[in-house]
Amino acid sequence: MADCIFCMISQGKVPCHKVYEDEKCFAFLDIAPVSRGHVLVIPKEHAAKMHELSDESCPALMLAVKKVSKAVQEAFSCDFNILNNNGKMAGQAVHHVHFHVIPRRGIKEEFSFNWVPRKQQGDDDAEEILERIKERIIGSANKQ
Ligand code: 5GP
Ligand code: ZN
C-alpha cells in the first residue's frame, strides 16, 4: 500500500534498524521503544488487521515472531511480551499488522496495559458469547 509507513519500511523506502527478513516477513526496532530491544514483526503483505491477513502470510508471520522472540530472549536473557493491537479502540496507531516483541527485565521497565476493570464471567452470558463466536469459526471442529 503506497502510503503505509510499514509497507515503505519493508520495501526499503524508509530507513529502519532491520532485525530480520524472509520472503514474507520483516522485523525492525521500534522507533519509540517501550524497553531496550523492542522489535516490531510485520508481514510484507499489507493488511490492516490480523483477521484480514491471508492464510499464507499468517503462519509465516507467527514463525517470524517466534524466531525474533527467541533471538531477543537469548540476546537479553529476558522475559518478554508479545502484543498485537487491532483497530484504534485497541490502541493500534499504524494500520499494518504488526507484533510487538517487548523485552521485560524487571520493575524499571514496567509499562501499563489497562486490564481493569475486570468482571466475573457469568454462565448465562458465556453461553450467548460461545454461540455468537463458535458459529462464525470457519472449518472448526468446535461445533457440537
Ligand atoms: P501500535 O500502537 O500501532 O500497536 O504500534 C505502532 C508502533 O510503531 C509504535 O510502537 C511506534 O513507536 C512504532 N512506529 C511508528 N512509526 C514508526 C516508524 O516510522 N519506524 C519505526 N521503526 N517504528 C515506528
Ligand atoms: Zn502496509
Side-chain angles (χ1 to χ4, degrees), residues 6-83:
F6 284 2
C7 281
M8 288 192 270
I9 286 175
S10 70
Q11 290 161 11
K13 294 175 182 164
V14 167
C16 73
H17 297 284
K18 183 167 102 175
V19 170
Y20 172 78
E21 180 173 11
D22 62 34
E23 191 197 337
K24 290 191 162 57
C25 301
F26 195 91
F28 52 103
L29 295 185
D30 196 296
I31 204 168
V34 168
S35 68
R36 187 163 171 270
H38 179 169
V39 178
L40 300 173
V41 188
I42 67 171
K44 289 182 177 174
E45 172 193 335
H46 178 85
K49 297 175 189 166
M50 195 60 193
H51 67 287
E52 295 165 355
L53 191 60
S54 72
D55 286 0
E56 289 71 43
S57 289
C58 193
L61 179 59
M62 284 301 104
L63 195 55
V65 168
K66 181 192 165 181
K67 284 181 185 169
V68 168
S69 299
K70 187 171 186 295
V72 165
Q73 196 282 326
E74 288 175 2
F76 300 109
S77 300
C78 60
D79 291 340
F80 55 93
N81 290 105
I82 297 173
L83 298 178

Coordinates of all heavy atoms in Angstrom, one line a residue, residues 6-83:
F6 N 4.7 1.1 7.2 CA 5.3 -0.2 7.4 C 5.6 -0.9 6.1 O 6.6 -1.6 5.9 CB 4.5 -1.1 8.4 CG 4.7 -0.7 9.8 CD1 5.4 0.4 10.2 CD2 4.0 -1.4 10.8 CE1 5.6 0.8 11.5 CE2 4.2 -1.1 12.2 CZ 5.0 0.0 12.5
C7 N 4.7 -0.7 5.1 CA 5.0 -1.2 3.7 C 6.3 -0.5 3.2 O 7.1 -1.2 2.7 CB 3.8 -0.9 2.8 SG 2.4 -2.0 2.9
M8 N 6.3 0.8 3.4 CA 7.5 1.5 2.9 C 8.8 1.0 3.6 O 9.8 0.9 3.0 CB 7.3 3.0 3.1 CG 6.3 3.6 2.1 SD 6.3 5.4 2.1 CE 5.1 5.8 3.4
I9 N 8.7 0.8 4.9 CA 9.9 0.3 5.6 C 10.3 -1.1 5.1 O 11.5 -1.3 4.8 CB 9.6 0.2 7.2 CG1 9.6 1.6 7.7 CG2 10.6 -0.7 7.9 CD1 9.2 1.7 9.2
S10 N 9.3 -2.0 4.9 CA 9.7 -3.4 4.5 C 10.2 -3.4 3.0 O 10.9 -4.3 2.6 CB 8.5 -4.3 4.6 OG 7.5 -4.0 3.7
Q11 N 9.8 -2.3 2.3 CA 10.3 -2.2 0.9 C 11.6 -1.4 0.8 O 12.1 -1.2 -0.3 CB 9.2 -1.6 0.0 CG 8.0 -2.5 -0.2 CD 6.8 -1.7 -0.6 OE1 6.8 -0.6 -1.0 NE2 5.6 -2.4 -0.6
G12 N 12.1 -1.0 1.9 CA 13.4 -0.3 1.9 C 13.3 1.2 1.5 O 14.3 1.8 1.3
K13 N 12.0 1.7 1.5 CA 11.8 3.1 1.0 C 12.0 4.1 2.2 O 12.2 5.3 2.0 CB 10.4 3.2 0.4 CG 10.3 2.5 -0.9 CD 8.9 2.5 -1.4 CE 8.7 1.7 -2.7 NZ 7.3 1.4 -3.0
V14 N 11.9 3.5 3.4 CA 12.0 4.4 4.6 C 13.1 3.6 5.5 O 12.9 2.4 5.6 CB 10.7 4.5 5.4 CG1 10.9 5.1 6.7 CG2 9.8 5.4 4.6
P15 N 14.1 4.3 6.0 CA 15.1 3.6 6.8 C 14.6 3.0 8.1 O 13.6 3.6 8.7 CB 16.1 4.7 7.0 CG 15.5 6.0 6.8 CD 14.3 5.8 5.9
C16 N 15.2 2.0 8.5 CA 14.9 1.4 9.8 C 16.1 0.6 10.3 O 17.1 0.4 9.5 CB 13.7 0.4 9.7 SG 14.1 -1.1 8.8
H17 N 16.0 0.1 11.5 CA 17.0 -0.8 12.0 C 16.5 -2.2 11.8 O 15.7 -2.7 12.7 CB 17.3 -0.5 13.5 CG 17.9 0.9 13.7 ND1 19.2 1.2 13.4 CD2 17.4 2.0 14.2 CE1 19.4 2.4 13.7 NE2 18.3 3.0 14.2
K18 N 16.9 -2.8 10.7 CA 16.4 -4.2 10.4 C 16.9 -5.2 11.3 O 18.1 -5.3 11.5 CB 16.7 -4.5 8.9 CG 16.1 -5.8 8.4 CD 16.1 -5.9 6.9 CE 17.3 -6.8 6.5 NZ 17.3 -7.0 5.0
V19 N 16.0 -6.1 11.8 CA 16.4 -7.2 12.6 C 16.4 -8.5 11.9 O 17.2 -9.4 12.1 CB 15.5 -7.3 13.9 CG1 15.7 -8.5 14.7 CG2 15.6 -6.0 14.8
Y20 N 15.4 -8.6 11.0 CA 15.2 -9.9 10.4 C 14.4 -9.7 9.1 O 13.5 -8.8 9.0 CB 14.4 -10.9 11.3 CG 13.9 -12.2 10.7 CD1 14.8 -13.2 10.5 CD2 12.6 -12.3 10.3 CE1 14.4 -14.4 10.0 CE2 12.2 -13.5 9.7 CZ 13.1 -14.6 9.5 OH 12.7 -15.7 9.0
E21 N 14.6 -10.6 8.1 CA 13.8 -10.6 6.9 C 13.7 -11.9 6.3 O 14.7 -12.7 6.2 CB 14.4 -9.6 5.8 CG 13.5 -9.5 4.6 CD 14.0 -8.4 3.6 OE1 15.1 -7.8 3.8 OE2 13.2 -8.1 2.7
D22 N 12.6 -12.3 5.8 CA 12.5 -13.5 5.0 C 11.5 -13.2 3.8 O 11.1 -12.0 3.6 CB 12.0 -14.8 5.8 CG 10.7 -14.7 6.4 OD1 9.8 -14.0 5.9 OD2 10.5 -15.2 7.5
E23 N 11.1 -14.2 3.1 CA 10.3 -14.0 1.9 C 9.0 -13.2 2.2 O 8.5 -12.3 1.5 CB 9.9 -15.3 1.2 CG 9.3 -15.2 -0.1 CD 8.6 -16.6 -0.5 OE1 9.0 -17.6 0.0 OE2 7.7 -16.5 -1.4
K24 N 8.4 -13.5 3.3 CA 7.0 -13.0 3.6 C 7.0 -12.0 4.8 O 6.0 -11.3 5.0 CB 6.1 -14.1 4.0 CG 5.7 -15.0 2.8 CD 4.5 -15.9 3.1 CE 3.8 -16.4 1.9 NZ 4.7 -17.2 1.0
C25 N 8.1 -11.9 5.6 CA 8.1 -11.1 6.8 C 9.3 -10.2 7.0 O 10.3 -10.4 6.3 CB 8.0 -12.0 8.0 SG 6.5 -13.0 8.0
F26 N 9.2 -9.3 7.9 CA 10.2 -8.3 8.1 C 10.1 -7.9 9.6 O 9.0 -7.8 10.2 CB 9.9 -7.1 7.2 CG 11.0 -6.1 7.0 CD1 11.9 -6.3 6.0 CD2 11.2 -5.0 7.9 CE1 13.0 -5.4 5.8 CE2 12.2 -4.1 7.7 CZ 13.1 -4.3 6.7
A27 N 11.3 -7.6 10.2 CA 11.3 -7.2 11.6 C 12.3 -6.1 11.8 O 13.4 -6.1 11.2 CB 11.6 -8.4 12.5
F28 N 12.0 -5.1 12.7 CA 12.8 -3.9 12.9 C 12.6 -3.4 14.2 O 11.6 -3.6 14.9 CB 12.6 -2.9 11.8 CG 11.1 -2.5 11.6 CD1 10.6 -1.3 12.1 CD2 10.2 -3.4 11.0 CE1 9.3 -1.0 12.0 CE2 8.9 -3.0 10.8 CZ 8.4 -1.8 11.3
L29 N 13.6 -2.5 14.7 CA 13.4 -1.9 16.0 C 12.3 -0.9 16.0 O 12.2 -0.1 15.0 CB 14.7 -1.3 16.4 CG 15.9 -2.2 16.7 CD1 17.1 -1.4 17.2 CD2 15.6 -3.3 17.6
D30 N 11.5 -0.8 17.1 CA 10.5 0.2 17.2 C 11.2 1.6 17.4 O 12.2 1.7 18.1 CB 9.6 -0.1 18.4 CG 8.3 0.7 18.4 OD1 8.4 2.0 18.5 OD2 7.3 0.1 18.3
I31 N 10.7 2.6 16.7 CA 11.3 3.9 16.8 C 11.1 4.6 18.2 O 11.9 5.4 18.6 CB 10.7 4.8 15.7 CG1 11.6 5.9 15.3 CG2 9.3 5.4 16.1 CD1 11.2 6.7 14.0
A32 N 10.2 4.1 18.9 CA 9.9 4.6 20.3 C 9.8 3.5 21.3 O 8.7 3.1 21.7 CB 8.7 5.5 20.3
P33 N 10.9 2.8 21.6 CA 10.8 1.5 22.3 C 10.2 1.7 23.7 O 10.6 2.6 24.4 CB 12.3 1.0 22.4 CG 13.1 2.3 22.1 CD 12.3 3.2 21.3
V34 N 9.4 0.7 24.1 CA 8.9 0.6 25.4 C 10.0 0.1 26.3 O 10.1 0.5 27.5 CB 7.7 -0.4 25.5 CG1 7.3 -0.7 26.9 CG2 6.5 0.2 24.8
S35 N 10.9 -0.7 25.8 CA 12.1 -1.2 26.5 C 13.2 -1.4 25.5 O 12.9 -1.5 24.3 CB 11.8 -2.4 27.4 OG 11.6 -3.5 26.5
R36 N 14.4 -1.5 26.0 CA 15.5 -1.7 25.1 C 15.4 -3.0 24.4 O 15.3 -4.1 25.0 CB 16.8 -1.6 25.9 CG 18.1 -1.6 25.1 CD 19.2 -1.2 25.9 NE 20.5 -1.4 25.2 CZ 21.2 -2.5 25.3 NH1 20.8 -3.4 26.1 NH2 22.3 -2.6 24.6
G37 N 15.4 -3.0 23.0 CA 15.3 -4.2 22.3 C 13.9 -4.5 21.8 O 13.6 -5.6 21.3
H38 N 13.0 -3.5 21.9 CA 11.6 -3.6 21.4 C 11.6 -3.7 19.9 O 12.0 -2.9 19.2 CB 10.9 -2.4 21.9 CG 9.4 -2.2 21.5 ND1 8.6 -1.3 22.0 CD2 8.7 -2.9 20.6 CE1 7.4 -1.4 21.5 NE2 7.4 -2.4 20.7
V39 N 11.1 -4.9 19.4 CA 11.1 -5.2 18.0 C 9.7 -5.3 17.5 O 8.8 -5.7 18.2 CB 11.8 -6.5 17.7 CG1 11.8 -6.9 16.2 CG2 13.3 -6.4 18.2
L40 N 9.5 -4.8 16.2 CA 8.2 -5.0 15.5 C 8.4 -6.0 14.4 O 9.3 -6.0 13.7 CB 7.7 -3.7 14.9 CG 7.5 -2.5 15.9 CD1 7.2 -1.2 15.1 CD2 6.4 -2.8 16.8
V41 N 7.4 -7.0 14.4 CA 7.5 -8.0 13.3 C 6.3 -7.9 12.5 O 5.1 -7.8 13.0 CB 7.5 -9.4 14.0 CG1 7.7 -10.5 12.9 CG2 8.5 -9.5 15.1
I42 N 6.5 -7.7 11.1 CA 5.3 -7.5 10.2 C 5.3 -8.4 9.1 O 6.4 -8.9 8.7 CB 5.4 -6.0 9.7 CG1 6.6 -5.8 8.8 CG2 5.4 -5.0 10.8 CD1 6.6 -4.4 8.1
P43 N 4.1 -8.6 8.5 CA 4.1 -9.3 7.2 C 4.4 -8.3 6.1 O 4.1 -7.1 6.2 CB 2.6 -9.8 7.1 CG 1.9 -8.7 7.8 CD 2.8 -8.3 8.9
K44 N 5.0 -8.8 5.0 CA 5.3 -7.9 3.9 C 4.0 -7.6 3.2 O 3.8 -6.5 2.6 CB 6.3 -8.5 2.9 CG 7.7 -8.5 3.5 CD 8.7 -9.1 2.5 CE 10.1 -9.1 3.0 NZ 11.1 -9.8 2.2
E45 N 3.1 -8.5 3.2 CA 1.7 -8.3 2.6 C 1.0 -7.2 3.5 O 1.1 -7.2 4.7 CB 0.9 -9.6 2.8 CG -0.6 -9.4 2.4 CD -1.4 -10.6 2.8 OE1 -0.8 -11.7 2.9 OE2 -2.6 -10.4 3.0
H46 N 0.4 -6.2 2.8 CA -0.3 -5.2 3.6 C -1.7 -5.7 4.0 O -2.5 -6.1 3.2 CB -0.5 -3.9 2.8 CG -1.3 -2.9 3.6 ND1 -0.7 -2.0 4.5 CD2 -2.7 -2.7 3.7 CE1 -1.7 -1.3 5.1 NE2 -2.9 -1.7 4.6
A47 N -2.0 -5.7 5.3 CA -3.3 -6.0 5.8 C -3.3 -5.1 7.1 O -2.4 -5.0 7.8 CB -3.5 -7.5 6.2
A48 N -4.5 -4.5 7.3 CA -4.6 -3.5 8.4 C -4.6 -4.3 9.7 O -4.0 -4.0 10.7 CB -5.8 -2.6 8.3
K49 N -5.5 -5.4 9.7 CA -5.7 -6.1 11.0 C -5.5 -7.6 10.8 O -5.5 -8.1 9.7 CB -7.1 -5.9 11.5 CG -7.4 -4.4 11.8 CD -8.9 -4.2 12.2 CE -9.2 -2.7 12.3 NZ -10.6 -2.4 12.3
M50 N -5.3 -8.3 11.9 CA -4.9 -9.7 11.9 C -5.9 -10.5 11.1 O -5.5 -11.4 10.3 CB -4.9 -10.2 13.3 CG -4.2 -11.5 13.6 SD -2.5 -11.4 13.0 CE -2.2 -13.2 13.0
H51 N -7.2 -10.3 11.3 CA -8.2 -11.2 10.6 C -8.3 -10.9 9.1 O -9.0 -11.6 8.4 CB -9.6 -11.0 11.3 CG -10.2 -9.7 11.1 ND1 -9.8 -8.5 11.7 CD2 -11.2 -9.3 10.3 CE1 -10.5 -7.5 11.4 NE2 -11.4 -7.9 10.5
E52 N -7.6 -9.8 8.6 CA -7.6 -9.5 7.2 C -6.4 -10.1 6.5 O -6.3 -10.0 5.3 CB -7.7 -8.0 7.0 CG -9.0 -7.4 7.5 CD -9.0 -5.9 7.7 OE1 -7.9 -5.3 7.5 OE2 -10.0 -5.3 8.1
L53 N -5.5 -10.6 7.3 CA -4.3 -11.2 6.7 C -4.5 -12.5 6.0 O -5.4 -13.3 6.4 CB -3.2 -11.4 7.8 CG -1.8 -11.7 7.5 CD1 -1.2 -10.6 6.6 CD2 -1.0 -11.9 8.7
S54 N -3.8 -12.8 4.9 CA -4.1 -14.0 4.1 C -3.6 -15.2 4.9 O -2.7 -15.1 5.8 CB -3.3 -14.0 2.8 OG -1.9 -14.1 3.0
D55 N -4.2 -16.4 4.6 CA -3.8 -17.6 5.2 C -2.4 -18.0 4.9 O -1.8 -18.8 5.6 CB -4.7 -18.8 4.7 CG -6.1 -18.6 5.4 OD1 -6.4 -17.7 6.1 OD2 -7.0 -19.5 5.1
E56 N -1.8 -17.5 3.8 CA -0.4 -17.8 3.5 C 0.6 -17.0 4.4 O 1.6 -17.5 4.9 CB -0.1 -17.4 2.1 CG -0.7 -18.3 1.0 CD -2.2 -18.2 0.9 OE1 -2.7 -17.0 0.9 OE2 -2.9 -19.2 0.9
S57 N 0.2 -15.7 4.6 CA 1.1 -14.8 5.4 C 1.0 -15.1 6.9 O 2.0 -14.9 7.7 CB 0.8 -13.4 5.2 OG 1.2 -13.0 3.9
C58 N -0.1 -15.6 7.4 CA -0.4 -15.7 8.8 C 0.6 -16.7 9.5 O 1.3 -16.3 10.4 CB -1.8 -16.2 9.0 SG -2.3 -16.0 10.7
P59 N 0.8 -17.9 9.0 CA 1.7 -18.8 9.6 C 3.2 -18.4 9.5 O 4.0 -18.5 10.4 CB 1.5 -20.2 8.9 CG 0.7 -19.9 7.7 CD 0.0 -18.6 7.9
A60 N 3.5 -17.7 8.4 CA 4.8 -17.2 8.2 C 5.1 -16.1 9.2 O 6.2 -16.0 9.8 CB 5.0 -16.6 6.8
L61 N 4.1 -15.3 9.5 CA 4.2 -14.2 10.5 C 4.5 -14.8 11.9 O 5.3 -14.4 12.6 CB 3.0 -13.3 10.5 CG 3.0 -12.2 11.5 CD1 4.2 -11.2 11.2 CD2 1.7 -11.4 11.3
M62 N 3.7 -15.8 12.2 CA 3.8 -16.4 13.6 C 5.2 -17.0 13.7 O 5.8 -17.0 14.8 CB 2.8 -17.5 13.8 CG 1.4 -17.0 14.1 SD 1.4 -16.0 15.6 CE 1.2 -14.4 14.9
L63 N 5.7 -17.7 12.7 CA 7.1 -18.2 12.7 C 8.1 -17.1 12.9 O 9.1 -17.3 13.7 CB 7.3 -19.1 11.4 CG 8.5 -20.0 11.5 CD1 8.4 -21.0 12.6 CD2 8.6 -20.8 10.1
A64 N 7.9 -16.0 12.2 CA 8.9 -14.9 12.3 C 8.8 -14.3 13.7 O 9.9 -14.0 14.3 CB 8.6 -13.9 11.3
V65 N 7.6 -14.2 14.3 CA 7.5 -13.8 15.7 C 8.3 -14.7 16.6 O 9.0 -14.2 17.5 CB 6.0 -13.6 16.1 CG1 5.9 -13.4 17.6 CG2 5.3 -12.5 15.3
K66 N 8.1 -16.0 16.4 CA 8.8 -16.9 17.2 C 10.3 -16.8 17.1 O 11.1 -16.8 18.1 CB 8.4 -18.4 16.9 CG 9.1 -19.4 17.7 CD 8.9 -20.8 17.2 CE 9.9 -21.7 17.9 NZ 9.8 -23.1 17.4
K67 N 10.8 -16.7 15.9 CA 12.3 -16.6 15.6 C 12.8 -15.3 16.3 O 13.9 -15.3 16.9 CB 12.6 -16.5 14.1 CG 12.5 -17.8 13.4 CD 12.8 -17.7 12.0 CE 12.6 -19.0 11.2 NZ 12.7 -18.8 9.8
V68 N 12.1 -14.2 16.1 CA 12.6 -12.9 16.7 C 12.5 -13.0 18.2 O 13.4 -12.6 18.9 CB 11.7 -11.7 16.2 CG1 11.9 -10.5 17.0 CG2 12.0 -11.5 14.7
S69 N 11.4 -13.6 18.7 CA 11.3 -13.7 20.2 C 12.5 -14.5 20.8 O 13.0 -14.2 21.8 CB 10.0 -14.4 20.6 OG 8.9 -13.7 20.1
K70 N 12.8 -15.6 20.1 CA 13.9 -16.5 20.6 C 15.2 -15.7 20.6 O 16.0 -15.7 21.6 CB 14.0 -17.7 19.7 CG 15.0 -18.7 20.2 CD 14.9 -20.0 19.3 CE 15.7 -21.1 19.8 NZ 17.2 -20.9 19.7
A71 N 15.4 -14.9 19.5 CA 16.7 -14.1 19.4 C 16.7 -13.0 20.5 O 17.8 -12.8 21.1 CB 16.8 -13.5 18.0
V72 N 15.6 -12.4 20.7 CA 15.5 -11.3 21.7 C 15.7 -11.9 23.1 O 16.5 -11.4 23.9 CB 14.1 -10.6 21.7 CG1 13.9 -9.7 22.9 CG2 14.1 -9.7 20.4
Q73 N 15.1 -13.0 23.4 CA 15.3 -13.7 24.7 C 16.7 -14.0 24.9 O 17.3 -13.8 26.0 CB 14.4 -14.9 24.7 CG 14.1 -15.5 26.1 CD 15.3 -16.3 26.7 OE1 16.0 -16.9 25.9 NE2 15.6 -16.1 28.0
E74 N 17.4 -14.6 23.9 CA 18.8 -15.0 24.0 C 19.7 -13.8 24.1 O 20.7 -13.8 24.9 CB 19.2 -15.9 22.9 CG 18.5 -17.3 23.0 CD 18.8 -18.2 21.8 OE1 19.5 -17.8 20.9 OE2 18.3 -19.3 21.8
A75 N 19.4 -12.8 23.4 CA 20.2 -11.6 23.3 C 20.2 -10.9 24.7 O 21.3 -10.3 25.1 CB 19.7 -10.6 22.3
F76 N 19.1 -10.9 25.4 CA 19.0 -10.1 26.6 C 18.7 -10.9 27.9 O 18.5 -10.4 28.9 CB 17.9 -9.0 26.5 CG 18.2 -8.0 25.3 CD1 17.4 -8.1 24.2 CD2 19.2 -7.1 25.4 CE1 17.7 -7.2 23.1 CE2 19.5 -6.3 24.4 CZ 18.7 -6.3 23.2
S77 N 18.6 -12.2 27.7 CA 18.3 -13.1 28.8 C 17.1 -12.6 29.6 O 17.1 -12.5 30.8 CB 19.5 -13.3 29.8 OG 20.6 -13.8 29.1
C78 N 16.1 -12.2 28.8 CA 14.9 -11.5 29.4 C 13.6 -12.3 29.2 O 13.5 -13.2 28.4 CB 14.8 -10.2 28.8 SG 14.5 -10.3 27.0
D79 N 12.6 -11.9 30.0 CA 11.2 -12.3 29.7 C 10.8 -11.3 28.6 O 11.5 -10.3 28.3 CB 10.4 -12.2 30.9 CG 10.7 -13.3 31.9 OD1 11.4 -14.3 31.5 OD2 10.4 -13.2 33.1
F80 N 9.6 -11.6 28.1 CA 9.1 -10.6 27.0 C 7.6 -10.8 26.8 O 7.0 -11.8 27.1 CB 9.9 -10.9 25.7 CG 9.8 -12.3 25.2 CD1 8.7 -12.7 24.3 CD2 10.6 -13.3 25.6 CE1 8.6 -14.0 23.8 CE2 10.5 -14.6 25.1 CZ 9.5 -14.9 24.3
N81 N 7.0 -9.6 26.4 CA 5.6 -9.7 26.0 C 5.5 -9.7 24.5 O 6.3 -9.0 23.8 CB 4.9 -8.4 26.5 CG 4.7 -8.4 28.0 OD1 5.4 -7.7 28.7 ND2 3.8 -9.2 28.4
I82 N 4.5 -10.4 23.9 CA 4.2 -10.3 22.5 C 2.8 -9.6 22.5 O 1.9 -10.2 23.0 CB 4.2 -11.7 21.8 CG1 5.6 -12.3 21.9 CG2 3.7 -11.6 20.4 CD1 5.6 -13.8 21.4
L83 N 2.7 -8.5 21.8 CA 1.5 -7.7 21.8 C 1.1 -7.4 20.3 O 1.9 -7.2 19.5 CB 1.6 -6.4 22.5 CG 1.9 -6.5 24.0 CD1 2.0 -5.1 24.6 CD2 0.8 -7.3 24.7

